[in-house]
Amino acid sequence: MLVTSFDEVFNKNKHVVSMAIYKCKIYKNREHYEQIGYIALWNAYNQFNGVEEEFEPYAYVFVKNAILTAMCKHICFMARWLSSGIQKEV
């Protein structure tokens, strides 16, 4: 990978975040998941070695996994929160 600044990489690949959000069918809390995607794009940029693969597919997988992980954590939190609320009412 050529030595480029993150600003250049971000401007060239920010559509990757939108693509991942679209593929995950996110329509609520879109801004929250965009932020998670941008942070994942930053992490992908820092961990990319540039020898074996191109950056865009690598970043897409990285971003999509970060978004799916955040969705799972949110679902698990809501399930625990709702189940604890039901137990207190009984």
Side-chain angles (χ1 to χ4, degrees), residues 71-83:
M71 287 175 64
C72 282
K73 285 181 181 180
H74 178 74
I75 290 168
C76 289
F77 172 77
M78 292 303 293
R80 276 190 235 125
W81 183 74
L82 289 175
S83 67

Side-chain angles (χ1 to χ4, degrees), residues 46-65:
N46 286 331
Q47 294 182 11
F48 184 65
N49 61 10
V51 176
E52 299 172 7
E53 61 271 331
E54 295 182 17
F55 180 72
E56 188 173 337
Y58 176 79
Y60 175 75
V61 170
F62 212 92
V63 168
K64 189 172 177 185
N65 285 339

